[in-house]
Each structure stands twice: as C-alpha cells, then as structure tokens.
C-alpha cells in the first residue's frame, strides 16, 4: 500500500506543463506526497519523462522521441506551449526527475509507456537502472503500465518492486492477471468503474487507484467505494478542500 490518496498526475499538470520538473515541483508545493509521471526511451536508449510517442503536442519540436538523443532533446522547449512563464522547461531525463522526487521527499508512480515491442525490455532495463541509481526508498516507488510484459520484466529484474496493473476498463480475468504479475494495486479509468468492480478489487486484496479525477464534486458518489487514491491534474482542488472528495490526506501523507 502506498502512502498517498491524492497523486499528482504527470506532476501537477494543471499548474505547470505536464511531465516537467516544474510540474513535479508544483505538485510538491500544493502538498501532494506522490506524483505519477510517464517514461519512454529516446533513440539512444536514455529514459525521459514524456507521455506521447512524439514530441509535437508538448514541445516546440516535431517527430518521435526515438529521433532524439540526450543531447538533441535538450534543444526542445517543453514549457512554452503551456504558457510563456514556463518557456525554457525541458523534457526531463528520467534521472533528473527521480533526483528531484527524491530530494523533495515525494513518492513516485512511474508509468512505463511500453508498446509491446522488443524495445520494452530496453525500457524496463534502463528505468530500473535509473531507479537503483536514484536510491529512492522502495516503499516510495510504484511501477505501473498498460503493458503486462513490461510489468513482468520489471518484476523479474527486481522482486521487491511495487507493481500496479493499469487498465482503462478492467478486462476479463483481471484478478488472475494482476495476481500473476504480483501486483499490489489496480489502476483504472474512473469513468468505467462501478461500485461492484471497486468492491471486487478491494476484496481481492489489491489497492485501487483511479485516473484522471479532476472534479471533486463528480467524485462524491465514489467516496465510499473503498478507492485508495486518485490521479489528478488538479491536486490543489482535492487537498485542503479534500473533504469534498472524501480522500483527504492524513498528516505526513499516511492514510487513515
Ligand atoms: O497512470 C494513470 C494514467 O496516467 C494513465 O493514463 O494516458 O494519462 O498516462 P495516461
Ligand atoms: Mg500516465
């Protein structure tokens, strides 16, 4: 079980450009204890923090991440698209993001953006290497993915790793599939969640996290379903005023 109910999605992506160091800092500033970020590989095998396969949506550049290396990726501006105030933000190397998370004392849900191809093994290997180097306490790291093979490879390489199974809608045999991966948690799109499924996930012994919940009022009907936490772009709307979501954090980030 991780010690967070409100998890900053892509950092705090309503306050700063998603998946940047600024977004991680913004999350910490509003008081979250955990952030979720996405990770992918550059063409030279360097893991970076980025959601999309291409840089077009969130930078001033164009093309797939695989066309960049750790030098050329620094030339892209990853903040100006969001607002002028963030011009100069870069796509962070994963190593930089992990160092910041560690220094801020946050927990990290790393989402492996795997695609089911052979490069997934390289991604897992590179990410686990960066995690070892960053030396974040193991109880503050949770690795998730939509791609079960990437989770399996992660677990094979590090038996201690906390694993979260990510689905939009829970598939048939989700219980068996999550158990086979040694998952501690199930993560799903809250729009497809029902009380019956939430109860089944909890009864099966998994933590339950939902993405991406940005409206505290809309979340009210879900508050008694046993959901352990939410990913939100808007942690500022849930913390402090979090009673509205029924997910208020305990002091020190621990859950009640
Ligand atoms: O990890 C939860 C959520 O981030 C999964 O979807 O597309 O926002 O990475 P996405
Ligand atoms: Mg994600």
């Amino acid at each position: 079980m991780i010690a967070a109910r409100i998890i900053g999605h892509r950092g705090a992506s309503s306050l700063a450009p998603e998946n940047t160091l600024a977004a991680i800092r913004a999350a910490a500033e509003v008081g979250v204890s955990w952030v979720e970020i996405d990770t992918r590989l550059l063409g030279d095998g360097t893991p970076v923090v980025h959601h999309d396969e291409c840089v077009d949506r969130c930078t001033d550049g164009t093309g797939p991440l695989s066309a960049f290396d750790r030098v050329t990726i620094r030339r892209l501006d990853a903040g100006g698209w969001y607002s002028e105030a963030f011009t100069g933000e870069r796509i962070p190397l994963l190593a930089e993001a992990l160092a910041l998370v560690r220094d801020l004392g946050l927990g990290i849900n790393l989402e492996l953006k795997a695609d089911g191809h052979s490069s997934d093994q390289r991604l897992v290997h590179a990410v686990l290497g960066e995690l070892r180097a960053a030396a974040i306490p193991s109880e503050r790291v949770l690795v998730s993915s939509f791609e079960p093979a990437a989770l399996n490879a992660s677990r094979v390489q590090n038996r201690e790793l906390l694993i979260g199974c990510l689905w939009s809608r829970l598939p048939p045999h989700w219980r068996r599939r999550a158990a086979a991966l040694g998952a501690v948690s199930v993560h799903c799109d809250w729009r497809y969640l029902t009380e019956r499924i939430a109860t089944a996930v909890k009864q099966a012994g998994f933590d339950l996290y939902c993405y991406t919940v940005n409206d505290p009022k809309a979340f009210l009907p879900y508050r008694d379903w046993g959901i352990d936490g939410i990913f939100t772009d808007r942690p500022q709307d849930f913390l402090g005023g979090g009673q509205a979501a029924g997910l208020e954090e305990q002091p020190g980030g621990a859950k009640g």
Side-chain angles (χ1 to χ4, degrees), residues 132-202:
R132 267 195 306 279
I136 300 171
S138 57
E139 68 276 13
R140 282 204 259 128
V141 178
L142 173 66
V143 170
S144 64
S145 184
F146 285 105
E147 185 54 54
L151 294 178
N152 192 48
S154 302
R155 192 158 162 74
V156 166
Q157 289 185 40
N158 180 355
R159 291 270 161 202
E160 307 299 310
L161 207 56
L162 299 180
I163 298 284
C165 282
L166 192 42
W167 287 295
S168 50
R169 196 191 291 264
L170 264 59
H173 311 302
W174 59 267
R175 204 182 271 103
R176 183 167 50 73
R177 291 168 68 171
L181 289 164
V184 296
S185 54
V186 166
H187 307 189
C188 64
D189 188 328
W190 73 305
R191 294 171 302 176
Y192 304 126
L193 191 64
T194 63
E195 186 169 7
R196 188 181 61 77
I197 294 171
T199 303
V201 170
K202 294 303 299 174

Side-chain angles (χ1 to χ4, degrees), residues 9-10 19 36-38 51 109 111 113 144 146 166 187-188 210-212 231 233:
H9 185 237
R10 308 181 193 176
N19 281 322
E36 183 260 10
I37 56 175
D38 306 294
H51 180 274
N109 174 198
E111 186 190 337
K113 285 295 185 193
S144 64
F146 285 105
L166 192 42
H187 307 189
C188 64
C210 296
Y211 67 89
T212 304
F231 300 97
D233 302 324

